[in-house]
Amino acid sequence: MNFLTLLKDSLPSLLSGLWVTAQVAVISLIFAVILGIVFGILSISTSSILRAISAIYIYIIRGTPLIIQALFLYFGVGQALNVRFNPIVAAIITLSLNAGAYMSEIFRAGIQAVPVGQTEAARSLGLNYVQTMSKVIIPQAIKIMVPSIMNQFIVTIKDTSILSVISIRELTLSGQIIIARNYKPFETYSIVAIMYFILITLLTLISKGVERKLHYGNRSK
């Protein structure tokens, strides 16, 4: 079996795995952004309890490997609660919690990068804390955070490959299944690597384009 024949035979299965990879990454990023906003705001709260809650979450997630988090949720929590997780659901929860911890730091830094005068001006207009954050601070912070959020999305795409350990049939596991049939790891993993490379390169170019556009927009103002 030559390389082109292998590519032709393997491509449908690999594209299916790539689609699962993209879906899991996108859905996880949406939940991660929500977690990032919540814990990012908690981390700069005036309440020491809320700051502690945010810090504990961030330190635990960032202090443990993603593969351990996936195994702990899928096998550990599943056994403790006598629940059999759907691998896709377990993957989304794991990636969301993992990326959410990094997102919270991105949001914290983005919010703190907005000049204090913006908060003071909003409060002087009679806006309360929630209105100030939602209508004034966060919209400005988003522009600052977009490059970092895009970068986290790229990292999350790569991290999906680790989740093959809980039997989610994404791109990497699809490649492993094909190898078990044809015993051609070099050729198959080369195709998988090329597919990852193309996807990550496209996302990187999009990220740089968005960053340039935001930078140009800020300069034009």
Side-chain angles (χ1 to χ4, degrees):
M1 181 184 293
N2 59 38
F3 185 82
L4 291 178
T5 302
L6 175 63
L7 177 61
K8 180 182 177 181
D9 293 342
S10 304
L11 197 57
S13 179
L14 292 177
L15 287 175
S16 176
L18 183 63
W19 175 240
V20 173
T21 292
Q23 282 184 306
V24 169
V26 169
I27 295 172
S28 298
L29 188 70
I30 292 172
F31 286 117
V33 168
I34 296 171
L35 289 172
I37 293 173
V38 172
F39 285 95
I41 292 175
L42 292 183
S43 68
I44 58 174
S45 170
T46 55
S47 170
S48 58
I49 296 176
L50 295 180
R51 290 199 306 273
I53 292 173
S54 177
I56 290 171
Y57 163 65
I58 292 170
Y59 285 136
I60 289 176
I61 295 299
R62 297 182 67 173
T64 54
L66 177 63
I67 189 171
I68 297 300
Q69 295 166 16
L71 293 172
F72 176 77
L73 175 67
Y74 188 66
F75 294 107
V77 175
Q79 183 185 46
L81 299 179
N82 196 25
V83 174
R84 181 169 179 80
F85 282 105
N86 180 292
I88 298 290
V89 174
I92 291 173
I93 293 173
T94 302
L95 283 177
S96 298
L97 291 173
N98 184 272
Y102 293 92
M103 283 290 188
S104 63
E105 289 293 275
I106 292 172
F107 274 92
R108 178 192 59 77
I111 291 171
Q112 291 182 329
V114 177
V116 179
Q118 295 292 317
T119 301
E120 295 173 347
R123 299 305 289 270
S124 68
L125 292 173
L127 299 181
N128 58 34
Y129 179 79
V130 174
Q131 291 172 325
T132 299
M133 293 300 296
S134 62
K135 296 182 179 181
V136 179
I137 305 302
I138 292 180
Q140 295 184 65
I142 289 291
K143 292 183 178 181
I144 300 171
M145 296 182 291
V146 164
S148 297
I149 292 174
M150 292 292 294
N151 183 65
Q152 183 58 48
F153 182 48
I154 292 171
V155 171
T156 301
I157 286 279
K158 294 178 181 178
D159 285 346
T160 58
S161 62
I162 297 174
L163 299 177
S164 59
V165 298
I166 60 173
S167 303
I168 172 176
R169 192 164 178 172
E170 39 65 70
L171 181 55
T172 300
L173 183 57
S174 296
Q176 292 172 348
I177 293 172
I178 291 170
I179 290 169
R181 294 198 301 260
N182 62 25
Y183 303 104
K184 291 185 176 293
F186 179 81
E187 294 88 342
T188 304
Y189 280 132
S190 294
I191 296 171
V192 170
I194 291 170
M195 293 177 74
Y196 272 118
F197 176 77
I198 292 172
L199 178 60
I200 298 302
T201 299
L202 288 174
L203 290 173
T204 301
L205 292 174
I206 292 172
S207 176
K208 289 182 178 179
V210 171
E211 188 174 355
R212 283 196 299 268
K213 186 175 181 179
L214 289 174
H215 181 68
Y216 176 78
N218 291 334
R219 289 186 60 183
S220 65
K221 293 178 181 179

